[in-house]
Amino acid sequence: MIQQLGEADTAAAVALWAGTGLTRPWNDAAGDFRRAVAGPASVVLGIRDDGELVGTAMVGHDGHRGWVYYLAVADSARGRGLGRELMAAAEAWLVERDLPKIQFMVRTDNTSVLDFYEHLGYARQDALVLGRRLDG
Ligand SMILES: CC(C)(COP(=O)(O)OP(=O)(O)OC[C@H]1O[C@@H](n2cnc3c(N)ncnc32)[C@H](O)[C@@H]1OP(=O)(O)O)[C@@H](O)C(=O)NCCC(=O)NCCS
């Protein structure tokens, strides 16, 4: 069953993200988690197996588009439909809030996940992402 995670799940979520290759030294994953669970326009959805956190999806919106980050399913729990379930729950969370579109970024070195998303009906968008760090 998918649940909304809270502050107490920070360490378990960060461990899952590290174990699934989603963290980077220059990003503050615990800070990302805490901001998402505290904010009014975001949530972290999670799935537990025997009490252990095995899946997450961070979902939120900026008033214009819905965004998903940190979709992760533990190695031991893959291939059971949890990734699909988490993306469906992220979509439902956005639909409930009348957001017209869901989108997310995929790192260019994570091409193996593209087939998964295409299989779920997501398509590449004709846009480039530009950015700049604001923390130093
Ligand atoms: C991507 C990820 C979340 C998939 O989780 P999962 O629980 O194994 O996926 P599911 O079991 O829900 O798979 C759903 C469907 O996609 C298919 N699928 C899963 N991984 C796939 C892949 N790499 N390529 C193609 N199809 C894939 C499954 O066969 C299944 O098909 P079906 O529903 O028709 O039977 C998981 O592999 C993961 O955590 N990867 C590492 C983290 C990551 O890269 N996250 C995305 C960041 S952008």
Side-chain angles (χ1 to χ4, degrees):
M1 197 188 69
I2 294 187
Q3 302 168 329
Q4 290 196 9
L5 302 182
E7 174 99 27
D9 299 300
T10 308
V14 172
L16 175 65
W17 298 345
T20 51
L22 295 181
T23 51
R24 293 294 181 273
W26 53 88
N27 289 333
D28 174 9
D32 289 348
F33 182 90
R34 290 197 189 97
R35 271 191 303 275
V37 299
S42 54
V43 69
V44 182
L45 304 171
I47 301 185
R48 294 179 213 276
D49 191 2
D50 267 344
E52 185 196 346
L53 188 66
V54 294
T56 61
M58 179 185 288
V59 54
H61 71 83
D62 51 24
H64 177 57
R65 292 289 181 252
W67 289 91
V68 181
Y69 295 90
Y70 291 111
L71 174 74
V73 172
D75 267 353
S76 60
R78 287 192 192 166
R80 289 165 27 191
L82 302 188
R84 178 190 280 280
E85 215 179 305
L86 284 159
M87 288 305 292
E91 289 182 11
W93 189 91
L94 292 166
V95 167
E96 272 171 31
R97 287 158 183 80
D98 282 335
L99 270 293
K101 188 172 183 189
I102 184 170
Q103 54 192 30
F104 43 85
M105 293 178 274
V106 177
R107 290 193 178 104
T108 49
D109 62 1
N110 194 13
T111 49
S112 63
V113 84
L114 290 175
D115 287 346
F116 162 81
Y117 286 125
E118 279 168 21
H119 191 68
L120 264 57
Y122 294 97
R124 288 192 196 208
Q125 305 295 292
D126 189 17
L128 291 174
V129 178
L130 276 70
R132 185 158 72 87
R133 293 212 67 104
L134 299 172
D135 56 0

